[in-house]
């Protein structure tokens, strides 16, 4: 460091400033600049009634009485109104504040050496209207939810002296926005503050104010638009030098291209210099498999004949083409299938999004590790660091304006704001190759919606670097490059028990071809996989920041009140296993659909609002849940997935299993002479049958048919869960499905002295009291229960949707002797469909605290209840085995029901039937409706 630089540093340290010569970090910064950090302790005051704005000729109020640390928020500082009420709807924000807040920093020393330069304040992310003053003079008003706020303070700075900087940050409902995830209480919250880089920056009077790069893959070049700022309108001449280097982020630089210079001249306050830079014959391409990046280093020199000016900066870009081919997306002329995650801006520690590269790399790497290749930012735009991390990971980002409203066309000022906001987003982040898709926002409504969106599309398409959809969810507007549409899902919003997983047992013949036939552009299905698991209360201690998990504590206390807190972990694991089973089938249904474009998963992590939705396979902190690994989940939605088309998955040994094998390949290349092998195995790994399909080429994109599978099941003697596996020889690519096989004929049970009853009446009641053994197969219609018999898990959450399904599958002990002849895991799987759907779950809250059903249903965490399908107990002198499954009614058509009935009959008629729990006859009475 030079002597002059050392003296500046010493002066700044003495006066409370922090010098920074250039932005540093894990990811390369953009501009080598002279800058002063504004991070530190600021004076502070809330202004909820808006009384502190000075009018013309007046002075500011005296020094603000409180202090706060920036970067940061009022929540982090404990400023605002302390929350009094806990809620089960969402995480609880401890210190809420919406309105104006004042921030002031005195003794900001501006070096004398900066005299003659242009001086700017740069705030990376402020929430979300900022007015700025320097030395008592207003220097501007900026408003954005997505991009940095910048103020030209050149004319108000005192050089070589101390300066006072004051901000008024307003997070009130400026436009009455409340649902967008940029401000919603359900997600990052409507925080007040400033985060990320806070700097005063110095530039020469002529500088490179903006650089936009437009790679041309086929032309092997990049078009460069350099916007020069020349506010004094000097007549200048100069040159811009550019050198590019490129390579994969995981390796050393592979390409070093020559330095080239481009002359320019101009006298306007702002003018654009455009030119093309050749990338050579061997262009490195960017995609999810090889995220090659180029670093473009710019150096500008200019002169007006009297003064000289210089500027340096750098930009990162990637060479890739996003396009469409009919109903398929393509990247670099290769078919692309989106496997996306929805990011809804959940950051419970800070209440606002991180701005550092390492944290975004961690978050996005989880998405990649779990098999995803894209991330949709639901009605918000992330900071720069997210794009930088995605660039290096090879993730395709769908960015959205912060728009989720029902008033489009009614507030012209707000419509105009979103037009400008989109332009700011393109300018700020458009060079990033990961910035693949853009739309206006989520599920848009309003009287002027369609004209507004059509005008938006026309504006956006002036930038060719991205693909565009008018909106996510709806509407589908002509002119969109693709549709992000909510229709093709197994469980649509408020569909209740009419959803696909609740109307019939599993078959894998189903796909969404009917939807694809109706469109001419790629169809990305909107917010799929919303299957929940029971919350993990062990995560409560991880909430160490501004948002508190009182919702989880309410759920936990509800479970404690029902004397089932000891089952919380089992509920979590069993429902989680079932959640993954449902997500797997949902993924495959999209892979099975010819010409489909992809999906976005809502979501890989838990959602902490809107009634609380534990939909993730990682928690809200992106930490893994224990019931599925990243490797297992990645295999379910990998780049190459074998598929099975089958009419059913429960068979008898008098039948021949038949199915059709397929495979999809969305990898980086075609597979030549690929051979898929199959095997059907017993639970202990023994092979029952195996075989293979003829070797064939497996191209990228279309579904490849491999052939049929026909397996006689007559050699399987006992009821068993088999595993059918398809594997691609010589690779780690495989997929597997459970196939349940039951005996076609079962021996007729001799029930002996067991009283087999179909209804609970006075006779059965008395015989039980007198000491009889009773097997009660209750008529579900007679059970007094308000619990609908939904097979699937809860979609999103029952509170927010207001409709069933409102259970999370079964919990049982597979080793219980009642289930000895019925093959099952401890959690729900597809063979349980008949058992659950043709039942009336029994509400058992009135039973003793430690009483547990043989087969229990996992409750809605918002409504914890003890629910069962099969129970056993001592009643009076007798013994009772009872089920509310309609076994008699469906046994003729359901081999599963016959097997369950057989297992229960053997148990109740055997010597081992000796229940230990006791129920009173009045407790049994209460299970039935009175006439």
């Amino acid at each position: 460091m030079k002597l002059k630089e050392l003296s500046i540093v010493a002066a700044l340290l003495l006066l409370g400033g922090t010098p920074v010569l250039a932005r540093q970090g894990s990811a390369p910064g953009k501009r080598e600049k002279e800058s002063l950090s504004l991070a530190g302790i600021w004076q502070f005051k809330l202004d909820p009634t808006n009384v502190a704005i000075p009018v013309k000729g007046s002075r500011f109020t005296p020094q603000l009485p409180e202090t706060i640390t920036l970067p940061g928020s009022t929540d982090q500082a404990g400023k605002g109104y302390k929350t009094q009420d806990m809620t089960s709807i969402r995480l609880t924000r401890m210190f809420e504040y919406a309105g104006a807040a004042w921030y002031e920093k005195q003794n900001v020393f501006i070096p004398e050496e900066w005299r003659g330069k242009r001086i700017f304040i740069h705030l990376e992310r402020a929430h979300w209207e900022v007015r700025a003053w320097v030395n008592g003079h207003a220097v501007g008003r900026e408003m954005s939810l997505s991009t940095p706020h910048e103020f030209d303070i050149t004319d108000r700075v005192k050089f070589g002296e101390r300066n006072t900087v004051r901000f008024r940050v307003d997070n009130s409902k400026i436009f009455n926005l409340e649902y967008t995830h940029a401000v919603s209480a359900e997600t990052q919250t409507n925080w007040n503050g400033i985060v990320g880089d806070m700097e005063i920056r110095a530039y020469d009077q002529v500088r490179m104010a903006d650089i936009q790069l437009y790679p041309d893959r086929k032309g092997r070049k990049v078009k460069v638009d350099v916007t020069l700022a020349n506010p004094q309108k000097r007549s200048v001449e100069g040159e811009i030098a550019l050198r590019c280097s490129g390579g994969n982020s995981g390796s050393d630089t592979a390409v070093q291209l020559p330095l080239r210079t481009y002359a320019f001249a101009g006298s306007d306050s702002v003018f654009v210099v455009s030119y093309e830079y050749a990338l050579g014959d061997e262009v490195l391409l960017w995609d999810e498999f090889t995220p090659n990046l180029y670093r473009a280093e710019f150096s500008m020199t200019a002169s007006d004949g009297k003064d000289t000016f210089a500027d340096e900066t750098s930009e990162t870009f990637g060479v890739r083409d996003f396009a469409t081919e009919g109903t398929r997306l393509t990247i670099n002329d290769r078919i692309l299938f989106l496997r996306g995650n929805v990011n809804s801006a959940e950051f419970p520690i800070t209440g606002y999004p991180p701005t550092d590269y390492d944290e975004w790399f961690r978050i996005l790497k989880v998405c990649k590790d779990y098999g995803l290749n894209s991330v949709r930012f639901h009605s918000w735009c992330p900071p720069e660091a997210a794009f930088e991390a995605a660039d290096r990971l090879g993730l395709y980002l769908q960015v959205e304006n912060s728009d989720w409203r029902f008033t489009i066309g009614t507030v012209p000022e707000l419509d105009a704001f979103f037009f400008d906001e989109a332009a700011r987003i393109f300018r700020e982040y458009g060079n990033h190759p990961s910035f693949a898709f853009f739309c206006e926002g989520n599920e848009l409504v309003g009287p002027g919606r369609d004209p507004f969106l059509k005008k938006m599309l026309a504006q956006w398409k002036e930038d060719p670097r991205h693909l565009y959809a008018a909106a996510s969810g709806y509407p589908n507007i002509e002119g969109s490059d693709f549709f992000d549409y909510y229709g093709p899902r197994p469980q649509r919003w408020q569909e209740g028990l009419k959803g696909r997983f609740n109307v019939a047992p599993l078959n894998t013949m189903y796909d969404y071809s009917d939807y694809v036939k109706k469109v001419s552009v790629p169809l990305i299905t909107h917010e799929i996989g919303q299957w929940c698991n029971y919350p993990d209360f062990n995560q409560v201690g991880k909430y160490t920041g501004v948002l508190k998990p009182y919702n989880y504590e309410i759920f936990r206390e509800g479970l404690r009140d029902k004397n089932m807190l000891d089952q919380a972990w089992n509920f979590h694991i069993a429902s989680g296993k079932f959640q993954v089973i449902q997500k797997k089938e949902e993924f495959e249904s999209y892979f099975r659909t010819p010409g489909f474009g992809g999906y976005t998963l809502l979501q890989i992590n838990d959602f902490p609002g809107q009634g609380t939705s534990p939909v993730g396979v990682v928690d809200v902190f992106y930490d893994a849940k224990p019931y599925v690994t990243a490797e297992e989940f990645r295999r379910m939605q990998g780049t190459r997935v074998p598929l099975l088309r089958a009419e059913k998955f429960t068979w008898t040994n008098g039948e021949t299993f038949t199915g059709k094998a397929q495979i999809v390949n969305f990898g980086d290349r075609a597979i030549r002479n690929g051979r898929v092998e199959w095997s059907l195995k017993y639970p202990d790994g023994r092979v029952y049958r195996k075989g293979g399909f003829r070797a064939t080429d497996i191209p990228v994109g279309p579904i490849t048919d491999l052939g049929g599978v026909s397996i006689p099941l007559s050699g399987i003697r006992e009821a068993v869960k088999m595993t059918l596996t398809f594997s691609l020889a010589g690779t780690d690519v495989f997929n597997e499905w459970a196939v349940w096989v039951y005996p076609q004929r079962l021996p007729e049970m001799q029930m002996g002295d067991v009283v087999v009853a179909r209804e609970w009446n006075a006779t059965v009641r008395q015989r039980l009291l007198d000491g009889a053994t009773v097997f009660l197969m209750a008529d579900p219609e007679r059970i007094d229960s308000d619990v609908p018999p939904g097979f699937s898990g809860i979609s999103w959450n029952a509170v927010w949707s207001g409709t069933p399904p409102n259970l999370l599958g079964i919990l049982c002990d597979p080793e219980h002797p009642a289930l000895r002849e019925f093959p099952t895991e401890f959690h729900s799987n597809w063979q349980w469909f008949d058992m659950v759907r043709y039942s009336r779950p029994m509400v058992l809250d009135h039973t003793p605290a430690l009483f547990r059903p043989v087969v229990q249903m996992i409750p809605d965490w918002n409504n914890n209840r003890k629910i069962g399908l099969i129970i056993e107990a001592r009643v009076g002198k007798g013994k009772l085995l009872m089920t509310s499954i309609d076994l008699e009614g469906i046994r003729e058509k359901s081999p599963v029901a016959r097997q369950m009935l057989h297992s229960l009959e053997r148990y109740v008629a055997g010597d081992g039937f000796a229940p230990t729990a006791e129920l009173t006859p009045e407790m049994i009475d209460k299970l039935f409706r009175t006439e």
Side-chain angles (χ1 to χ4, degrees):
M1 186 176 285
K2 297 179 181 178
L3 182 61
K4 182 171 71 173
E5 293 171 334
L6 282 170
S7 66
I8 294 173
V9 170
L12 288 168
L13 292 175
L14 286 171
L15 295 172
T18 304
V20 179
L21 299 180
R23 177 182 176 187
Q24 302 293 325
S26 303
K30 284 189 173 184
R31 182 176 297 277
E32 297 176 11
K33 58 188 178 296
E34 297 175 277
S35 64
L36 301 174
S37 173
L38 289 173
I41 299 173
W42 288 65
Q43 300 302 123
F44 175 80
K45 185 180 187 301
L46 297 177
D47 184 15
T49 56
N50 296 313
V51 298
I53 299 178
V55 297
K56 187 174 182 180
S58 68
R59 294 179 175 272
F60 276 115
T61 56
Q63 184 175 356
L64 306 180
E66 302 175 53
T67 60
I68 194 170
T69 300
L70 295 178
S73 71
T74 54
D75 295 62
Q76 289 176 303
K79 310 290 186 181
Y81 309 115
K82 188 170 178 60
T83 301
Q84 300 297 319
D85 299 323
M86 302 194 320
T87 176
S88 64
I89 299 297
R90 64 179 72 92
L91 298 178
T92 299
R93 187 179 176 194
M94 296 301 295
F95 291 91
E96 295 198 31
Y97 181 71
W102 291 85
Y103 303 80
E104 181 177 279
K105 194 169 192 63
Q106 301 176 349
N107 298 328
V108 178
F109 183 79
I110 305 296
E112 177 66 34
E113 288 80 359
W114 284 9
R115 188 182 296 276
K117 292 182 179 291
R118 304 300 301 183
I119 313 300
F120 289 82
I121 290 175
H122 175 92
L123 308 177
E124 182 175 357
R125 184 147 295 200
H127 207 74
W128 54 297
E129 181 201 59
V130 180
R131 299 186 187 190
W133 289 261
V134 173
N135 299 323
H137 299 282
V139 293
R141 171 180 180 257
E142 293 290 331
M143 191 161 51
S144 176
L145 285 162
S146 307
T147 61
H149 296 55
E150 290 197 325
F151 304 90
D152 186 341
I153 63 173
T154 306
D155 296 336
R156 300 302 185 186
V157 168
K158 294 184 288 187
F159 295 96
E161 299 183 36
R162 303 176 181 183
N163 295 260
T164 298
V165 177
R166 182 178 281 218
F167 299 127
R168 178 186 184 269
V169 180
D170 190 353
N171 70 322
S172 61
K173 294 181 180 179
I174 302 169
F175 289 128
N176 202 36
L177 290 174
E178 57 181 317
Y179 295 108
T180 167
H181 287 344
V183 302
S184 169
E186 313 297 331
T187 57
Q188 65 175 295
T189 77
N190 185 25
W191 53 280
N192 187 301
I194 302 168
V195 300
D197 288 341
M198 299 178 60
E199 298 176 331
I200 296 179
R201 297 177 174 180
Y203 304 96
D204 279 4
Q205 288 289 343
V206 179
R207 67 187 179 98
M208 294 180 286
D210 181 59
I211 295 173
Q212 298 296 317
L213 303 170
Y214 302 89
D216 180 351
R217 176 177 64 92
K218 294 180 179 177
R220 297 193 293 275
K221 60 189 177 184
V222 57
K223 180 179 178 293
V224 182
D225 286 349
V226 179
T227 300
L228 295 179
N230 177 28
Q232 296 177 330
K233 297 185 177 180
R234 303 190 185 200
S235 181
V236 294
E237 296 181 357
E239 66 179 20
I240 296 173
L242 170 60
R243 183 194 301 277
C244 287
S245 56
N248 191 290
S249 59
S251 64
D252 295 333
T253 298
V255 173
Q256 190 75 32
L257 298 174
L259 180 73
R260 300 188 180 96
T261 59
Y262 307 87
F264 66 85
S267 58
D268 292 336
S269 59
V270 176
F271 59 95
V272 178
V273 179
S274 297
Y275 53 89
E276 293 180 344
Y277 183 93
L279 296 173
D281 294 334
E282 298 295 329
V283 177
L284 301 174
L285 302 183
W286 183 94
D287 65 14
E288 63 189 280
F289 304 105
T290 54
N292 293 302
L293 296 171
Y294 284 90
R295 181 178 175 87
E297 296 177 302
F298 295 86
S299 176
M300 182 218 75
T301 57
S303 174
D304 63 356
K306 178 183 176 182
D307 296 320
T308 59
F309 313 99
D311 194 9
E312 293 183 351
T313 190
S314 65
E315 289 284 340
T316 299
F317 69 96
V319 180
R320 87 292 188 270
D321 288 339
F322 284 107
T324 63
E325 184 179 295
T327 61
R328 304 307 288 264
L329 297 166
T330 66
I331 182 169
N332 303 330
D333 296 333
R334 188 183 67 246
I335 296 294
L336 167 64
F337 189 96
L338 282 192
R339 309 180 307 280
N341 181 54
V342 175
N343 182 292
S344 296
E346 311 95 342
F347 306 104
I349 301 301
T350 58
Y352 57 76
T355 57
D356 63 292
Y357 173 85
D358 289 343
E359 179 61 7
W360 274 110
F361 189 90
R362 183 189 73 85
I363 290 171
L364 295 180
K365 190 173 186 302
V366 170
C367 296
K368 189 92 172 182
D369 289 346
Y370 278 71
L372 301 166
N373 64 2
S374 70
V375 177
R376 173 197 161 211
F377 292 92
H378 181 310
S379 64
W380 78 291
C381 175
E384 178 85 16
F387 293 92
E388 293 174 340
D391 288 347
R392 284 156 182 79
L393 285 166
L395 281 170
Y396 313 124
L397 304 187
Q398 178 171 317
V399 181
E400 298 182 5
N401 240 340
S402 300
D403 198 354
W404 187 4
R405 57 191 165 125
F406 309 96
T407 59
I408 294 176
T410 62
V411 186
E413 186 183 5
L414 181 52
D415 289 350
F417 168 80
F418 281 123
F419 269 98
D420 294 341
E421 186 84 333
R424 287 189 288 264
I425 289 171
F426 294 168
R427 182 174 62 249
E428 187 68 22
Y429 310 118
N431 291 334
H432 290 282
S434 58
F435 187 172
F437 311 103
F438 186 80
C439 75
E440 174 58 17
N442 185 72
E443 299 168 4
L444 301 174
V445 178
R449 179 188 68 182
D450 290 7
F452 168 78
L453 292 175
K454 288 178 180 178
K455 188 176 179 182
M456 276 285 204
L457 281 165
Q459 171 187 290
W460 302 340
K461 287 193 171 186
E462 294 177 4
D463 189 330
R465 294 174 292 186
H466 325 295
L467 295 181
Y468 303 100
S472 290
Y474 50 81
N476 293 334
I477 296 293
E478 184 179 355
S480 296
D481 294 318
F482 65 98
F483 292 149
D484 183 321
Y485 183 53
Y486 75 99
R489 300 196 312 222
Q491 188 73 32
R492 286 172 280 270
W493 181 247
Q494 293 187 323
E495 194 171 26
L497 298 185
K498 296 179 181 178
R500 179 164 70 94
F501 290 176
N502 285 294
V503 297
L506 175 67
N507 79 79
T508 53
M509 304 303 292
Y510 187 92
D511 64 34
Y512 297 98
S513 297
D514 289 347
Y515 286 90
V516 176
K517 291 175 183 176
K518 296 175 183 177
V519 299
S520 58
V521 297
L523 184 62
I524 311 302
T525 194
H526 177 77
E527 299 182 356
I528 66 114
Q530 298 178 27
W531 306 110
C532 295
N533 66 92
Y534 196 89
D536 174 16
F537 300 134
N538 292 319
Q539 68 176 291
V540 167
K542 297 165 70 171
Y543 290 82
T544 58
V546 301
L547 296 175
K548 299 302 181 185
Y550 295 150
N551 51 346
Y552 288 97
E553 295 187 2
I554 290 171
F555 306 147
R556 181 174 59 189
E557 291 311 302
L559 194 63
R560 190 195 309 275
D561 289 345
K562 294 300 175 64
N563 303 304
M564 296 187 293
L565 188 58
D566 62 305
Q567 293 189 285
W569 184 249
N570 290 337
F571 285 172
H572 177 60
I573 300 299
S575 62
K577 291 288 187 181
F578 187 36
Q579 174 198 51
V580 172
I581 287 167
Q582 294 170 95
K583 288 179 188 284
K584 178 178 184 291
E585 162 54 21
E586 194 165 357
F587 297 155
E588 290 179 16
S589 69
Y590 303 119
F591 292 138
R592 292 194 299 263
T593 303
F596 208 74
Y599 56 79
T600 52
L601 175 66
L602 185 68
Q603 47 193 41
I604 197 170
N605 59 305
D606 288 344
F607 186 89
Q610 292 186 1
T612 310
S613 299
V615 293
V617 291
V618 299
D619 66 19
V620 72
F621 304 98
Y622 289 85
D623 294 331
K625 293 185 179 179
Y627 51 79
V628 64
T629 66
E631 181 181 4
E632 290 166 338
F633 204 74
R634 182 171 66 247
R635 188 173 67 247
M636 288 163 42
Q637 52 171 350
T639 55
R640 298 180 175 107
V641 182
L643 300 171
L644 170 65
R645 296 270 195 164
E647 294 281 0
K648 61 181 182 177
F649 287 82
T650 57
W651 299 75
T652 72
N653 58 6
E655 298 178 290
T656 296
F657 173 89
T658 57
K660 179 181 177 183
Q662 298 176 319
I663 190 169
V664 289
N665 175 18
F666 297 110
D668 57 346
R669 64 188 181 281
I671 299 171
R672 304 300 178 193
N673 294 315
R675 177 176 168 78
V676 172
E677 299 169 340
W678 64 265
S679 65
L680 185 65
K681 295 181 179 180
Y682 288 99
D684 61 6
R686 289 179 295 122
V687 175
Y688 173 71
R689 294 284 191 277
K690 65 179 180 179
F693 305 100
R694 179 177 55 85
T696 186
D697 292 343
I698 304 172
V700 174
I703 298 169
T704 300
D705 291 321
L706 300 173
V709 181
S710 180
I711 310 172
L713 302 174
S714 56
I716 300 174
R717 304 300 183 186
E718 298 178 344
V720 65
K721 174 195 169 191
M722 306 289 285
T723 301
L724 178 63
T725 302
F726 292 169
S727 57
L728 181 62
T731 74
D732 60 356
V733 173
F734 72 95
N735 200 357
E736 59 187 23
W737 300 264
V739 176
W740 290 269
V741 182
Y742 303 97
Q744 186 176 21
R745 293 182 178 84
L746 290 165
E748 186 172 340
M749 285 298 303
Q750 300 300 317
M751 301 303 291
D753 294 333
V754 175
V755 176
V756 179
R758 283 286 289 150
E759 64 177 72
W760 178 249
N761 55 35
T763 301
V764 174
R765 190 179 195 269
Q766 188 60 50
R767 293 197 64 180
L768 189 60
L769 290 174
D770 291 341
T773 297
V774 175
F775 179 27
L776 177 56
M777 292 182 285
D779 180 355
E781 296 300 319
R782 300 295 303 277
I783 297 294
D784 186 13
S785 172
D786 62 349
V787 180
F791 168 72
S792 77
I794 294 170
S795 179
W796 199 236
N797 65 78
V799 169
W800 203 250
S801 69
T803 60
N806 52 11
L807 297 172
L808 291 163
I810 64 111
L811 175 67
C812 68
D813 177 3
E815 301 301 318
H816 192 289
L819 304 175
R820 185 169 295 149
E821 304 293 328
F822 186 81
T824 185
E825 299 104 329
F826 63 92
H827 53 81
S828 276
N829 210 327
W830 299 112
Q831 94 279 19
W832 276 93
F833 180 88
D834 288 347
M835 301 297 93
V836 176
R837 199 67 177 90
Y838 297 99
S839 73
R840 176 63 67 180
M842 296 177 282
V843 179
L844 302 162
D845 290 343
H846 61 288
T847 61
L850 297 180
F851 181 78
R852 298 289 183 262
V854 175
V855 175
Q856 189 169 358
M857 299 296 294
I858 302 171
D860 174 8
W861 55 93
N862 287 285
N863 186 16
N864 287 297
R865 293 193 284 181
K866 189 188 302 182
I867 301 170
L869 295 179
I870 301 173
I871 63 173
E872 64 174 355
R874 291 188 175 275
V875 182
K877 298 178 182 179
K879 298 181 293 183
L880 173 68
L881 179 66
M882 175 181 171
T883 179
S884 58
I885 304 169
D886 190 13
L887 296 176
E888 279 291 332
I890 62 174
R891 64 185 299 180
E892 293 303 320
K893 66 177 181 179
S894 172
V896 188
R898 291 197 298 271
Q899 190 66 41
M900 175 62 82
L901 180 56
H902 174 73
S903 187
L904 295 180
E905 286 177 338
R906 289 199 64 173
Y907 174 55
V908 74
D911 295 337
F913 181 53
T916 56
E918 294 188 11
L919 298 179
T920 66
E922 291 75 21
M923 291 175 180
I924 306 301
D925 292 341
K926 196 170 182 179
L927 295 175
F928 293 90
R929 293 204 308 267
T930 57
E931 296 297 338

